[in-house]
Amino acid sequence: MKTDHTLASRGFRFGLLSSALLVAAAVGCTGQISGEPGGTPPGVTGGGGGSTTGGGGGGQSPVNGTDPGRIAIHRLNNLEYANTVMDLLGIAANTTNFQNNDGKGDSFDNIASEFGVTDQQYSDYFNSAVDIATRAFADTTAKGKVLTCTPAAATDTTCIKTIVQTWGLRAWRRPITDAEVTSLTKVVTDAMGMGVDGAGGIQQLVTTMLASPMFLFRIEYDPNPTSTTSHALDPYELASRLSYLHWSSMPDKALFDLAASGDISKDATLTAQVDRMLADPKGQTFTQEFAGQWLGMDTLLTHAVSAAAFPSFNDPLKQAMYQEGLLYFQEYLSGTAQMKDFFTNKVNFVNNALAPLYGVAGINGAPLQKVTNMAPNRMGFMGLASFLTQSSLDYRTAPTLRGFWVLENLLCQNIPPPPPNVPKLDGASTTAMMMAQSENVAVRLAAHRMQDSGCMSCHSILDPIGLGLETFDAIGQYRAKYDNGDTIDPSGVFDGKPFTGLPQLTAMLSDPSSTYAEELKECSTKKLMTYSLSRIMGDADQPYIKKIAYDWGGGSMKDLLKKVVLSQPFRNRHGETAM
């Protein structure tokens, strides 16, 4: 079987092979599936046109001239697949052999339009389904999650249908239709007719359901796949959006119960679920995945640091930096801190590996400890070693890269690539590069800008931010001078105003009167909506981004998350125009 992104837009029908030896892909859909890559939704007039028709679902009112957009059929990425199998059966799925399985778009690895399925990938999924079912039925606890009764014979369809309807609802994350119950029951009865016992027949059922598109994909249905009229999500679809946003996994019993009752569509229920799901131990997944990708902590894990330039750098130090970055965001997510505090809080998390880098004494052991007001020159997110390291080169700081990172990831500004054939700042040889790491990079950048006038416009925007952070070396350690003895001058101009060093730079970024204040709020909103909706934001999404950012006002990250969950784009969708 081979599918691509057009699969979702044209609809499809999968047949079940009932043979116990030929377990096929899926039960046939009773309706078409609409979906293709995200971006600018069709049928949007923009500006001040009439409100979106359809809608529903309560929450924020539609923004004039826009619609809530649509999400392509969404194959589970590796983490979502592994987490779902674990929550469903308590069995660890081995995804290491999946070939080219995870795509990435706009900084996040859950963008639906990035995921197709090749023949090889489906073969990997099928083999995985066989392996998982085999191990589950060899494990008493896992087997008990499925086998609530054991069919005594192929004629015992009451037991079989009970399992299909109960375990199947969890596996496919929605109620099983009558036609699907009939087809899935036949999988079991055919297997038993070929000589396997009742447990073996149910094992074939598990393999079939795990290898089906209804398990492998998050599918949302449109009553009319060719209509751009907005409609509310089915309660089970909304439950899945919530669970995969917070946990990168399937809904739990509480969400299934809320979907069954319909209460999940209520505003108060949705906001209460945000609190509950973040408080759950699995809520750490949101921090690891959203913050880890948005704020570059994942990049840090693969970032190389030159042992010759920084002999003290090692894996325990890198891991401590990574964990501190996540804990810092978690503080922003779970507490009362607002966006301005994200830039200015004097909160750090250190252990025996990270404390020496920060110049903190008296810290013992590997567990990270929270410290406050650690030093007058280090504060906020941009004072974290995780940010300062992953935005540097392996052998020296890179003020241009640090400035680029801030503008692109915190302000969502599009910075054009450098002109072709621009001379490199450092020499090509290893010796020249190692010498460069000890020199005054501000002087080198000034000379570089003079080499080509085409570089001046971008560097004049990027460099001042990075140069303001030059008192921190390429692994985030504070310094007052370069290795050649030159005193570091961390002064610059940002937002048309002069500043000196990180404290003044962060004060400017956190200033609500700054001309960048709205960009900061809208960028955070855009990043969260991109991750929450699993699609790239287009021009037609801007009115929603602006409205949510305005209503949020730069408060806590949890407040922003609740506003996104209550928004029309999170709770509604539509089909697409006919191709």
Side-chain angles (χ1 to χ4, degrees):
M1 184 187 77
K2 184 176 182 179
T3 65
D4 59 24
H5 302 152
T6 62
L7 168 75
S9 63
R10 294 175 181 144
F12 60 90
R13 186 177 298 269
F14 291 93
L16 270 174
L17 301 180
S18 58
S19 167
L21 300 178
L22 296 173
V23 185
V27 175
C29 301
T30 57
Q32 289 182 303
I33 297 172
S34 175
E36 74 171 11
T40 304
V44 175
T45 59
S51 63
T52 304
T53 56
Q60 297 173 344
S61 60
V63 177
N64 285 344
T66 68
D67 59 49
R70 51 187 303 283
I71 302 174
I73 181 174
H74 183 166
R75 177 171 59 78
L76 303 182
N77 65 23
N78 283 0
L79 177 67
E80 292 167 337
Y81 180 90
N83 285 351
T84 302
V85 170
M86 177 59 69
D87 286 343
L88 183 63
L89 290 166
I91 294 291
N94 182 8
T95 62
T96 57
N97 293 326
F98 286 176
Q99 296 190 16
N100 303 317
N101 214 44
D102 279 0
K104 194 162 187 176
D106 200 28
S107 302
F108 297 111
D109 66 2
N110 69 340
I111 303 302
S113 60
E114 296 294 313
F115 295 97
V117 176
T118 65
D119 292 336
Q120 180 59 56
Q121 286 171 327
Y122 182 72
S123 177
D124 292 340
Y125 280 128
F126 180 83
N127 292 334
S128 179
V130 173
D131 172 66
I132 291 166
T134 300
R135 288 189 289 120
F137 274 72
D139 181 285
T140 302
T141 301
K143 185 177 179 180
K145 293 178 181 292
V146 183
L147 211 61
T148 52
C149 61
T150 304
T155 56
D156 187 4
T157 57
T158 299
C159 172
I160 298 170
K161 289 180 179 179
T162 297
I163 293 174
V164 168
Q165 291 169 329
T166 55
W167 186 82
L169 179 148
R170 298 180 66 240
W172 284 2
R173 304 178 289 277
R174 60 163 175 79
I176 309 301
T177 67
D178 291 343
E180 291 166 343
V181 170
T182 299
S183 296
L184 288 165
T185 299
K186 193 172 187 299
V187 170
V188 182
T189 57
D190 282 358
M192 295 181 70
M194 297 178 69
V196 303
D197 61 12
I202 299 300
Q203 181 177 329
Q204 292 296 333
L205 170 72
V206 170
T207 302
T208 298
M209 296 192 79
L210 293 182
S212 72
M214 315 324 176
F215 176 79
L216 298 173
F217 290 85
R218 291 166 53 192
I219 301 172
E220 296 174 351
Y221 295 86
D222 298 303
N224 182 352
T226 62
S227 171
T228 57
T229 298
S230 171
H231 65 88
L233 293 174
D234 172 273
Y236 290 91
E237 295 168 352
L238 185 56
S240 281
R241 282 202 184 185
L242 276 175
S243 65
Y244 283 97
L245 164 59
H246 292 87
W247 295 338
S248 296
S249 188
M250 61 179 283
D252 64 354
K253 184 179 185 302
L255 288 174
F256 279 128
D257 289 347
L258 289 170
S261 69
D263 287 346
I264 198 167
S265 298
K266 297 177 180 178
D267 290 9
T269 301
L270 286 170
T271 55
Q273 288 307 301
V274 171
D275 289 329
R276 181 184 75 88
M277 297 178 78
L278 288 178
D280 188 281
K282 292 190 294 186
Q284 292 295 318
T285 304
F286 174 76
T287 295
Q288 292 168 0
E289 293 304 299
F290 173 62
Q293 295 180 72
W294 173 31
L295 300 177
M297 267 73 86
D298 284 4
T299 302
L300 173 68
L301 292 177
T302 57
H303 179 75
V305 172
S306 167
F310 299 99
S312 64
F313 191 86
N314 54 29
D315 191 63
L317 178 57
K318 176 187 284 191
Q319 290 297 325
M321 291 178 177
Y322 169 76
Q323 292 298 332
E324 183 194 29
L326 296 180
L327 287 170
Y328 187 86
F329 178 84
Q330 188 67 33
E331 188 93 353
Y332 177 40
L333 175 66
S334 59
T336 59
Q338 299 186 346
M339 191 179 75
K340 62 181 180 61
D341 303 313
F342 181 73
F343 294 103
T344 59
N345 265 356
K346 292 187 177 181
V347 174
N348 290 90
F349 298 86
V350 298
N351 63 2
N352 57 355
L354 186 55
L357 185 101
Y358 285 169
V360 178
I363 302 295
N364 300 308
L368 272 71
Q369 305 174 38
K370 181 179 178 179
V371 295
T372 58
N373 299 310
M374 187 170 58
N377 48 44
R378 191 185 297 273
M379 62 180 62
F381 170 75
M382 292 195 298
L384 299 180
S386 57
F387 161 71
L388 293 164
T389 301
Q390 59 99 359
S391 59
S392 297
L393 299 178
D394 65 325
Y395 60 95
R396 69 160 173 84
T397 59
T400 304
L401 292 182
R402 284 178 173 174
F404 178 88
W405 195 99
V406 170
L407 294 178
E408 182 179 58
N409 291 283
L410 300 182
L411 292 168
C412 290
Q413 293 188 2
N414 293 318
I415 309 299
N421 303 318
V422 174
K424 290 185 177 181
L425 184 62
D426 301 334
S429 71
T430 302
T431 301
M433 290 190 295
M434 294 312 299
M435 289 179 59
Q437 68 93 15
S438 66
E439 295 179 2
N440 188 329
V441 72
V443 173
R444 294 173 61 82
L445 277 171
H448 177 71
R449 289 192 295 267
M450 297 303 294
Q451 283 184 288
D452 192 324
S453 58
C455 298
M456 182 66 72
S457 58
C458 285
H459 276 280
S460 63
I461 299 171
L462 300 172
D463 293 352
I465 299 172
L467 289 172
L469 302 172
E470 269 296 278
T471 48
F472 300 97
D473 68 16
I475 59 171
Q477 187 165 252
Y478 184 80
R479 61 187 180 175
K481 296 183 177 183
Y482 291 105
D483 289 350
N484 68 355
D486 286 358
T487 298
I488 294 174
D489 176 14
S491 62
V493 176
F494 181 68
D495 193 21
K497 302 173 184 176
F499 74 92
T500 301
L502 177 62
Q504 291 186 18
L505 177 59
T506 56
M508 295 172 71
L509 281 169
S510 61
D511 181 0
S513 66
S514 165
T515 56
Y516 286 117
E518 293 305 312
E519 286 185 65
L520 286 166
K521 288 185 288 187
E522 289 176 14
C523 186
S524 295
T525 303
K526 179 181 179 181
K527 294 292 185 180
L528 184 55
M529 288 186 70
T530 299
Y531 182 80
S532 300
L533 297 174
S534 302
R535 67 176 176 86
I536 297 170
M537 297 291 101
D539 290 343
D541 297 299
Q542 288 304 308
Y544 275 111
I545 292 172
K546 289 180 178 295
K547 184 180 190 306
I548 293 171
Y550 178 82
D551 291 344
W552 171 50
S556 72
M557 179 55 65
K558 186 187 288 187
D559 287 342
L560 177 58
L561 183 56
K562 289 180 178 179
K563 292 191 183 300
V564 169
V565 165
L566 289 175
S567 71
Q568 291 288 313
F570 190 82
R571 301 165 73 170
N572 294 266
R573 65 170 285 124
H574 60 68
E576 61 179 327
T577 55
M579 297 180 65

